[in-house]
């Protein structure tokens, strides 16, 4: 069993962001599921891992020396609070819940939290869905996407510029793929089939570009690719194995001018009229559109 535990620990050391059961079985294919359960239970008892939830699956992250050190000389209150925060994983715990479960007075709890924060044992993270709410979690954990809002949010604000860049780059990749198989000597049907790109290919392209500070998962790439489909710039299909694929398409008819008129997305449309401060006659958006 010691040998199995060491192998699991090695996999965890190579993946500092954490490992799932699937990662372990993929890295150690000879491992039986009963052996995995026993080994993981022992490693958890020995407090080798921090446990947290990521997209519905359980992730084990090797405890760092610093997180063990953090509670070494801590007093009882700090240990209680630290354990409550640790239990909450990467979804974190609200200060009110810590207070209710620890029975500590407000001022005492604030002092304990400050002390743990200064030791870099825990950190406070703002919730994307409640601007005044922050949750506490262990310092070395990456917050769950339900807390940060995922890749599309930067400091609680929707990062429109980032989404636009991803949109452009995904389309560029699909266009490059379509261009590379144009005039395929094996015929248009084969060319059409080869112009499809898998989500994994687009994901790899975006990762290799290095434009995203966070690692985009397949679902996030699909979200971007679907916006291209809704905009009529791409179409999707499904491979026999059930995976989704996308290809760039050229619109057969150019969009009618009325669709492109800026008023459709103008934030001032409710204040705009033929008289007053905001009028189509003085509108820069309209002037730019007419000049195109
Ligand atoms: S005319 Fe200009 S200001 Fe008025 S709704 Fe259209 S884009 Fe907006």
């Amino acid at each position: 069993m010691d040998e199995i535990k060491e192998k699991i620990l090695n996999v965890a050391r190579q993946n500092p962001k954490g490992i799932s059961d699937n990662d372990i079985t993929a890295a150690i294919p000879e491992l039986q599921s009963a052996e995995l359960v026993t080994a993981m239970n022992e490693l958890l008892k020995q407090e080798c891992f921090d446990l947290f939830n990521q997209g519905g699956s359980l992730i084990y992250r090797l405890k760092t020396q610093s997180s063990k050190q953090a509670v070494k000389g801590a007093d009882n209150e700090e240990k209680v609070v630290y354990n409550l925060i640790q239990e909450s994983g990467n979804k974190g715990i609200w200060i009110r819940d810590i207070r209710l479960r620890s029975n500590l007075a407000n001022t005492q709890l604030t002092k304990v939290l400050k002390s743990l924060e200064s030791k870099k044992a825990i950190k406070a993270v703002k919730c994307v869905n409640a601007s005044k709410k922050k949750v506490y979690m262990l310092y070395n954990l990456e917050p769950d996407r339900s807390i940060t809002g995922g890749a599309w949010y930067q400091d609680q604000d929707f990062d429109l510029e980032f989404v636009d860049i991803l949109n452009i780059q995904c389309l560029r990749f699909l266009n490059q793929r379509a261009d590379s198989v144009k005039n395929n000597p094996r015929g248009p049907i084969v060319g059409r089939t080869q112009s499809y790109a898998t989500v994994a290919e687009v994901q790899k392209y975006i990762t290799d570009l290095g434009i995203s500070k966070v690692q985009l998962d397949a679902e996030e790439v699909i979200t971007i690719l679907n916006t291209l489909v809704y905009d009529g710039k791409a179409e999707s299909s499904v491979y026999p194995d059930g995976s989704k694929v996308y290809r760039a398409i050229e619109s057969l008819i150019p969009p009618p001018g009325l669709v492109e008129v800026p008023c459709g997305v103008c934030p001032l449309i409710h204040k705009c009229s033929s008289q007053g401060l905001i009028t189509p006659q003085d509108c820069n958006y309209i002037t730019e559109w007419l000049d195109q």
Side-chain angles (χ1 to χ4, degrees):
M1 186 49 63
D2 282 349
E3 198 186 325
I4 295 173
K5 285 194 310 194
E6 196 44 47
K7 280 185 183 173
I8 295 173
L9 287 172
N10 271 339
V11 179
R13 282 183 201 113
Q14 285 158 16
N15 297 278
K17 289 191 169 180
I19 48 172
S20 65
D21 284 339
N22 287 346
D23 295 330
I24 300 170
T25 43
I28 319 169
E30 68 277 13
L31 194 62
Q32 304 288 319
S33 53
E35 290 175 326
L36 171 66
V37 172
T38 315
M40 287 315 288
N41 280 342
E42 287 187 18
L43 288 169
L44 286 169
K45 256 189 224 159
Q46 290 165 5
E47 299 192 356
C48 294
F49 290 112
D50 286 324
L51 254 185
F52 61 99
N53 184 309
Q54 189 171 289
S57 54
L58 218 51
I59 299 290
Y60 309 91
R61 180 179 291 166
L62 205 57
K63 275 192 185 175
T64 58
Q65 212 48 36
S66 60
S67 73
K68 285 181 187 169
Q69 290 291 330
V71 280
K72 225 177 178 182
D75 59 27
N76 280 344
E77 280 90 4
E78 284 184 354
K79 279 184 186 156
V80 167
V81 172
Y82 182 88
N83 286 338
L84 286 173
I85 293 172
Q86 187 177 32
E87 275 171 27
S88 70
N90 65 335
K91 291 206 167 166
I93 181 167
W94 197 15
I95 189 165
R96 198 186 67 172
D97 295 331
I98 305 176
R99 194 171 53 235
L100 287 174
R101 292 179 59 189
S102 66
N103 275 331
L104 289 175
N106 234 343
T107 44
Q108 199 179 6
L109 177 57
T110 313
K111 216 172 105 193
V112 169
L113 288 171
K114 274 200 178 134
S115 160
L116 288 172
E117 275 188 278
S118 68
K119 290 179 189 169
K120 292 201 179 340
I122 62 163
K123 62 183 171 188
V125 180
K126 281 187 191 167
C127 289
V128 73
N129 50 7
S131 60
K132 285 189 185 146
K133 186 170 166 180
K134 55 182 181 178
V135 291
Y136 289 90
M137 66 184 65
L138 293 192
Y139 189 81
N140 60 342
L141 290 186
E142 201 164 301
D144 187 84
R145 283 170 194 260
S146 61
I147 303 296
T148 60
W152 317 137
Y153 284 81
Q154 178 82 31
D155 296 333
Q156 293 186 303
D157 291 323
F158 185 71
D159 195 347
L160 184 60
E161 198 183 335
F162 175 55
V163 173
D164 280 347
I165 290 172
L166 285 176
N167 204 294
I168 291 166
Q169 292 301 341
C170 286
L171 183 60
R172 179 172 293 168
F173 180 75
L174 296 185
N175 279 330
Q176 282 170 358
R177 171 63 60 88
D179 288 344
S180 69
V181 295
K182 241 182 199 169
N183 306 320
N184 193 306
R186 292 167 64 198
I189 305 277
V190 176
R192 185 176 190 279
T193 311
Q194 289 180 348
S195 67
Y196 279 107
T198 63
V199 173
E201 285 171 327
V202 182
Q203 190 179 8
K204 181 175 181 312
Y205 174 75
I206 297 293
T207 308
D208 291 347
L209 280 179
I211 51 175
S212 176
K213 280 179 244 146
V214 289
Q215 176 74 31
L216 296 182
D217 64 24
E219 283 308 311
E220 285 161 340
V221 175
I222 288 176
T223 308
I224 296 289
L225 288 168
N226 282 343
T227 64
L228 294 176
V229 174
Y230 304 142
D231 288 346
K233 295 171 185 167
E235 67 176 15
S236 68
S237 185
V238 180
Y239 271 172
D241 65 0
S243 60
K244 266 193 139 186
V245 285
Y246 293 81
R247 68 186 281 266
I249 52 168
E250 281 169 28
S251 180
L252 292 175
I253 39 167
L258 195 61
V259 171
E260 295 188 332
V261 77
C263 308
V265 289
C266 176
L268 301 172
I269 193 162
H270 299 296
K271 295 181 182 166
C272 182
S273 66
S274 56
Q275 288 172 339
L277 276 179
I278 302 168
T279 65
Q281 294 91 308
D282 301 323
C283 173
N284 287 342
Y285 304 136
I286 286 283
T287 313
E288 278 171 22
W289 176 65
L290 289 172
D291 288 346
Q292 277 173 14

